Amino acid sequence: MNGYTVLYHPEGRIAAELPLDRTTHEHVARAVLTWSDPDALRPDDYEQVGLLLAGAARAVADDVRALAVRLPEDDGRRLFAEFVVGQADDCLARPSQNLLRVRDRARTLRALYERLNRLQGTAPTVETPTTASP
């Protein structure tokens, strides 16, 4: 019997366990944003696409959170990252059984990737204190 890995978990417990295929998720988000017929898919199909986007968005949000907390509390980049992650949490809490909601998730994923791009390489590294010699 083959082992299976759950890619979607309601509490987002896949963070840091699997590398995300960013290219695939960006293509899915782009495709969703170009759909024009709200009746093109059944509600169950919209839900599946929404789950895929939600899983990716939660993992990216975790990465954004991890980078943001390394910045000073009054840093504008941290404040905006916290705002974007908060908006993402709100969006991901709603079910996605129609085109409008799936598009919201696609936009959310794009916003999270944009924020991740801006934070990568900007967070200060944690320095270890050096002991002074007497």
Side-chain angles (χ1 to χ4, degrees):
M1 176 168 201
N2 292 332
Y4 295 95
T5 302
V6 175
L7 296 178
Y8 169 75
H9 190 278
E11 286 86 37
R13 294 187 182 159
I14 63 169
E17 292 180 22
L18 296 172
L20 289 178
D21 184 356
R22 181 175 178 161
T23 303
T24 299
H25 293 122
E26 287 175 332
H27 286 302
V28 171
R30 192 174 316 125
V32 165
L33 292 171
T34 63
W35 289 344
S36 59
D37 182 5
D39 297 321
L41 300 176
R42 297 181 335 189
D44 291 347
D45 294 330
Y46 281 121
E47 184 175 19
Q48 289 302 306
V49 174
L51 290 174
L52 173 75
L53 293 170
R58 283 190 176 95
V60 176
D62 288 344
D63 289 346
V64 170
R65 276 188 194 96
L67 291 171
V69 298
R70 294 172 50 196
L71 295 169
E73 287 187 24
D74 61 345
D75 190 309
R77 295 169 299 176
R78 177 179 179 159
L79 298 172
F80 193 63
E82 290 171 350
F83 173 78
V84 169
V85 169
Q87 294 290 346
D89 290 341
D90 289 345
C91 174
L92 299 174
R94 296 186 299 267
S96 60
Q97 293 184 327
N98 62 48
L99 179 58
L100 178 64
R101 294 283 174 85
V102 173
R103 279 188 176 160
D104 286 345
R105 288 190 178 186
R107 287 185 196 97
T108 295
L109 179 60
R110 290 174 99 181
L112 288 165
Y113 273 131
E114 288 173 14
R115 189 61 19 212
L116 181 65
N117 290 345
R118 293 180 187 265
L119 290 177
Q120 287 177 326
T122 62
T125 57
V126 178
E127 295 182 22
T128 56
T130 57
T131 56
S133 56

